[in-house]
């Protein structure tokens, strides 16, 4: 039976931090806009900052729907979901208000330092840090979720972007659709991206 929680701590925090995979959902305010759902992996690139705040690194490599929805005036709705594929069947959801912290935000360096260095070694491809301020924290049974075996992290993403300079990464972003604007035409990431703060390079 599902429960709601006042905060993310103890067993709940440990569960979130142990999962190798989670999902992020956002949507534009327009009723006919595209709902976006993204899988996220890479251990260490999501951190619980306090009892009601999480952050994850938004890396390059795909479109920027999440960032666009969070930057839309009056929007910011976001849901994160984790599910156990081994051990006790559990699904955890955090509904909240999201915020995209861009490279030229004065908070960038302090926030980026909260992530383990080995997890963000391809920092050139870090486009934004997504802050999530939880409004509702809940869990539910995962009785229908299959049991699966976790084998290993994929290194392909980090390996690919570690070979790029900041200039090459900007060229990469400028050559992809739906980085500057979303599928629905909302402003997403500013291009060229602001340079990384010196303390993050």
């Amino acid at each position: 039976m599902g429960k709601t929680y006042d905060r993310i701590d103890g067993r709940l925090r440990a569960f979130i931090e142990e999962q190798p995979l989670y999902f992020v959902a956002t949507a534009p305010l327009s009723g006919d806009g595209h709902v976006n759902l993204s899988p996220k992996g890479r251990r260490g690139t999501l951190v619980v900052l306090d009892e009601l705040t999480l952050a994850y690194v938004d890396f390059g490599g795909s479109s920027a729907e999440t960032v666009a929805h969070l930057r839309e005036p009056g929007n910011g709705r976001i849901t994160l979901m984790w599910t156990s594929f081994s051990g006790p069947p559990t699904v955890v959801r955090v509904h909240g208000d999201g915020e995209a912290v861009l490279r030229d935000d004065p908070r960038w360096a302090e926030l980026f330092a909260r992530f383990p260095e080995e997890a963000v070694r391809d920092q050139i491809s870090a486009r934004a840090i997504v802050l999530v301020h939880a409004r509702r924290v809940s869990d539910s049974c995962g009785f229908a979720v299959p049991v699966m075996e976790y084998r290993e992290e994929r290194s392909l993403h980090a390996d690919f972007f570690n070979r790029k300079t900041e200039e090459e990464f900007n060229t990469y972003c400028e050559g992809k659709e739906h980085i500057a604007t979303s599928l629905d035409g909302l402003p997403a990431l500013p291009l060229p991206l602001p340079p990384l703060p010196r303390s993050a390079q």
Side-chain angles (χ1 to χ4, degrees):
M1 184 165 179
K3 293 177 58 178
T4 58
Y5 300 86
D6 294 329
R7 60 185 65 86
I8 303 167
D9 61 4
R11 178 190 62 81
L12 201 60
R13 178 172 183 161
F15 176 81
I16 287 172
E17 293 177 336
E18 287 170 4
Q19 302 313 307
L21 172 70
Y22 63 100
F23 301 89
V24 176
T26 58
L29 293 174
S30 171
D32 60 356
H34 292 79
V35 175
N36 189 67
L37 177 63
S38 296
K40 302 289 183 182
R42 300 189 53 183
R43 286 190 186 276
T45 60
L46 177 142
V47 293
V48 180
L49 298 177
D50 60 42
E51 295 178 337
L52 288 174
T53 312
L54 306 97
Y56 71 85
V57 180
D58 174 78
F59 288 104
S62 60
S63 62
E65 298 299 301
T66 301
V67 170
H69 298 158
L70 298 183
R71 296 186 69 198
E72 182 182 20
N75 197 345
R77 300 168 300 163
I78 188 169
T79 299
L80 276 60
M81 186 186 80
W82 300 260
T83 183
S84 60
F85 294 106
S86 62
T90 305
V91 177
V92 172
R93 291 181 179 86
V94 171
H95 294 80
D97 301 305
E99 177 185 4
V101 177
L102 302 180
R103 289 174 165 198
D104 54 357
D105 189 299
R107 297 170 294 172
W108 177 278
E110 180 183 354
L111 285 170
F112 201 77
R114 299 290 297 270
F115 299 91
E117 186 176 347
E118 66 274 11
V120 290
R121 59 190 175 96
D122 55 330
Q123 54 193 356
I124 287 296
S125 68
R127 308 181 303 184
I129 297 170
V130 174
L131 280 177
V132 179
H133 308 283
R135 286 188 286 104
R136 186 176 192 271
V137 181
S138 64
D139 67 6
S140 58
C141 77
F143 292 170
V145 176
V147 176
M148 294 191 286
E149 181 181 353
Y150 169 73
R151 282 177 45 193
E152 61 186 7
E153 294 282 295
R154 295 182 194 265
S155 65
L156 297 172
H157 186 274
D159 292 344
F160 177 77
F161 286 108
N162 272 338
R163 295 193 293 266
K164 295 189 180 298
T165 64
E166 191 161 358
E167 182 180 351
E168 288 170 338
F169 179 60
N170 261 307
T171 300
Y172 171 88
C173 290
E174 290 171 344
K176 291 185 72 72
E177 273 194 299
H178 306 304
I179 298 291
T181 58
S182 75
L183 289 166
D184 302 304
L186 297 172
L189 286 160
L191 293 179
L193 293 171
L196 279 169
R198 287 189 180 273
S199 57
Q201 294 185 31

